[in-house]
Amino acid sequence: MIKGRRNKEDEDLEGGSVGEPGVTELVEEALKGKIEPKKIIESINDAMVTVGKKFETGEYFVPDMLASAEAVSVGIDVLEPHLLKGGKTKEKFVVATVEGDIHDIGKNIFAMMLKGAGFDVIDLGTDVSADEIVKTVKNEYAEIIGIGLSTLLTTTMGNMGVVTERLRAEKLEKNVLVGGVAVSKEYADEIGAIYCDDAFEGVDKAKELIKKG
Ligand code: B12
């Protein structure tokens, strides 16, 4: 992932490594070796932290981050059937990356796992305005059990608060789960949202919402 190689045919960012296992082969091998999907997602996170550090130090540029992100998406496709465990709930869950942010890998993992747990997921995508989120919640109010917001940028974290504020103002209160590297438990508490460290915790919390009714 760090080298941005989707499969063994790919070159790395410096032009070598052809023939060595890429993300597809490595994820397949991990699954065959009975490594838990949770562990694999943790290593995806670790790899992307390394990519982020390389970006911070000027070793990587945006196209390099993009190459790694593409490699991750391919890995997640391989992982997907193993994350979809099946379930019976039909409650709706709205997910979105907030306005100003186009990072979607974490949001997609969460959405995919929710679907796997049986939720009916309305994925609004990335760079989603508070207006659009509020409109969706208004239209589907009765069926919606929760909303999941993601952001990885400190500059857009405040847009999560804009969403919770707007929902309160319009009397459309629903449980809002928030996640992504930019977000902290303190901030979640401040805006009246539920903090999730990762997508697994998010799905557990979504299931708890059903139990609470
Ligand atoms: C890949 C990447 C990109 C790709 C994104 C591709 C894509 N399709 O997503 C591209 C190249 C487009 C990109 C662009 C930019 N990026 Co960028 N990017 C990253 C990188 C390297 C990895 C992110 C990632 O996918 N991680 C893996 C996933 C699985 O992790 P995750 O999203 O955190 O999700 C997990 C949990 O947090 C949780 N989760 C996430 N959301 C939610 C939501 C809910 C409800 C729940 C329950 C759980 C949950 O579940 C996931 C798994 O368990 C990070 C570095 C990092 N450490 O995060 C920088 C990083 C986020 N990017 C950064 C920056 C600065 C940018 C740019 C501004 C760069 C630029 N100058 O243009 C632009 C922003 C463009 C924009 N307007 O959004 C900074 C942000 C700094 C900050 N503090 O704000 C980082 C931290 C890099 C760095 N160290 O400087 N980026």
Side-chain angles (χ1 to χ4, degrees), residues 41 45 48-49 51-52 55-56 62 65-66 69 100-106 109-110 148-150 152-154 177 179-181 196-199 202:
I41 288 182
N45 268 323
M48 296 318 262
V49 168
V51 171
F55 175 73
E56 267 174 58
V62 170
M65 284 206 286
L66 210 46
D101 189 349
I102 61 165
H103 294 89
D104 67 356
I105 297 174
I109 292 176
F110 177 54
L149 301 179
S150 178
L152 270 66
L153 299 174
T154 38
L177 308 188
V181 281
C196 304
D197 201 33
D198 59 30

Side-chain angles (χ1 to χ4, degrees), residues 61-72:
F61 296 97
V62 170
D64 306 315
M65 284 206 286
L66 210 46
S68 294
E70 277 169 20
V72 169

Side-chain angles (χ1 to χ4, degrees), residues 144-196:
I144 289 174
I145 183 96
I147 300 156
L149 301 179
S150 178
T151 197
L152 270 66
L153 299 174
T154 38
T155 48
T156 52
M157 188 176 75
N159 290 337
M160 291 179 153
V162 174
V163 174
T164 52
E165 214 167 277
R166 285 281 312 278
L167 290 170
R168 264 193 297 275
E170 307 237 2
K171 305 247 176 305
L172 294 170
E173 275 170 74
K174 288 282 174 191
N175 288 291
V176 178
L177 308 188
V178 291
V181 281
V183 190
S184 63
K185 162 104 178 54
E186 290 67 34
Y187 179 69
D189 291 346
E190 198 184 305
I191 64 167
I194 303 166
Y195 175 73
C196 304

